[in-house]
Structures are given as C-alpha cells and as structure tokens.
Amino acid sequence: MQKLTPKGRATRQRIVDGAAAEIRVRGAVATTLEDVMAHTATSKSQLFHYFPGGKDQLLLAVAEQEAARVLSDQQPHLGQLVSWAAWQRWRDAVVERYRQQGQLCPLSTVMSEIGRTPGAQAVTSTLIDQWRSEIEAGVRAMQAQGKVDAGVDASRAAAAMLAGIQGGVLVLMSTGDLGYLEAALDVGIAALRG
C-alpha cells in the first residue's frame, strides 16, 4: 500500500466509507464510481489515485473494512467470553449488530460481486479465522473454569457456532427473519453449557 499523509489517509477513508454507504443503499453491482465520487465529493483523479485498480480495488477495501467491523462490533464481549453472562452479552451484541444492519450486508454484497478472487478469499478467510479463534478462546476459558466439559473439542464447537451464525445471517438477508440467528446462538451456547 502507498504511504499516505494524514490528509491522504482521511481522503482514502472518506472514499471507502462513502462506497460502503452507497453499497448499503444500492448494492455493490448498482453502485458506480460516479455514485461514490458524488457521495464523497471527490474527483475521478482522486479516486484513482487511492484506488488505481478502480472499482474492484475499492470494493476490496470496503470488504476489508466491513470484515473488521464485524469483529469490532462484537467487542469487548467477543474477547471476554469467560462467564455465561459474558456469552449472553456477546450473543446480544451479535443479534443487535445484525438487527441494525438488516437485510443488506455490505460485506456479503461486496464479496458476491468480487467473487472468488485471491483478495476476496483472503478477506473472508482472515475474518472467519479470527472470529473462530475468539470463540474457541472463550470455549477454552470456560473449560479451564470447569464450566464447559473438558471433552468438548473447542475448535469444532467454535466452528459450529460460527457456521450457525453465518447460516442465521444468510436467512436474515434472504427473509428479514432474525429468529434463525437468535436460535443458532441460543442453541450453540446451550450445547456448550451441557
């Protein structure tokens, strides 16, 4: 990545934020660079200065930002899964994040457009690995306290929980029904409690 001045970083961030906002309204396919330029009051030369690869590079930057937000929106709860009350707070934070987001997920929208490119796969893999790792750390913390059975495979339990979350999010995006996400979290946590 190019070295940017503070003003340059702010301009680049404004472009990424503007693109994300447009994608939330229009979707990734319908959002044009002209829409982003109008939203951010930037010129074509500015946009291509920060994103010489054009729309694909900008979409990847939006995907990276949205992936980071998925995890940051769950903090500090995700990083502190050391009691059943903490797991409940994390569950509530996840549900609230997706309740506010609604049916249009900028990350999913962007990822569907940029597809299986190496950059897109890297963004997705990093997000999933970090998220699973945080959940797994929580399971292990509860095992260390004797609150989760020592025989539970923490890695698989975290993977299953994450798969349930993603399934619930997919149903939410398709139908607007948040109940599946809530059920996945509730059943997953109940299974850990034994």
Side-chain angles (χ1 to χ4, degrees):
M1 185 193 262
Q2 60 200 21
K3 189 166 175 103
L4 300 175
T5 65
K7 183 177 177 184
R9 281 192 300 276
T11 300
R12 184 183 188 284
Q13 186 61 52
R14 190 173 77 245
I15 293 169
V16 172
D17 290 342
E22 289 294 322
I23 289 165
R24 281 186 189 92
V25 173
R26 303 172 190 270
V29 174
T31 297
T32 66
L33 293 179
E34 288 75 18
D35 296 328
V36 175
M37 289 184 295
H39 186 101
T40 60
T42 53
S43 67
K44 193 170 193 174
S45 64
Q46 280 180 301
L47 194 138
F48 279 97
H49 172 74
Y50 297 105
F51 302 98
K55 187 174 179 182
D56 287 345
Q57 186 180 7
L58 177 56
L59 289 178
L60 189 57
V62 170
E64 290 167 344
Q65 175 173 287
E66 293 299 319
R69 283 188 178 155
V70 166
L71 296 177
S72 67
D73 286 352
Q74 297 175 50
Q75 296 299 352
H77 312 295
L78 180 59
Q80 299 174 355
L81 297 174
V82 296
S83 69
W84 292 123
W87 281 83
Q88 185 65 39
R89 287 189 297 273
W90 168 67
R91 175 252 188 236
D92 293 346
V94 171
V95 170
E96 186 56 29
R97 180 199 199 280
Y98 287 103
R99 176 178 284 115
Q100 289 179 7
Q101 177 180 287
Q103 286 181 259
L104 187 56
C105 173
L107 179 60
S108 294
T109 302
V110 168
M111 294 310 245
S112 68
E113 181 165 325
I114 58 179
R116 295 182 160 238
T117 64
Q121 287 181 328
V123 169
T124 302
S125 293
T126 299
L127 168 63
I128 295 299
D129 288 347
Q130 289 175 342
W131 202 349
R132 186 207 44 78
S133 178
E134 293 264 16
I135 297 169
E136 181 180 342
V139 174
R140 290 189 190 287
M142 297 297 279
Q143 285 176 319
Q145 298 174 55
K147 294 178 181 176
V148 170
D149 187 276
V152 170
D153 182 326
S155 180
R156 287 182 58 81
M161 178 91 62
L162 186 51
I165 291 168
Q166 289 305 296
V169 170
L170 184 60
V171 172
L172 169 64
M173 289 173 50
S174 300
T175 67
D177 188 344
L178 193 62
Y180 291 87
L181 174 61
E182 292 174 311
L185 284 160
D186 293 342
V187 170
I189 294 169
L192 288 176
R193 291 183 87 142

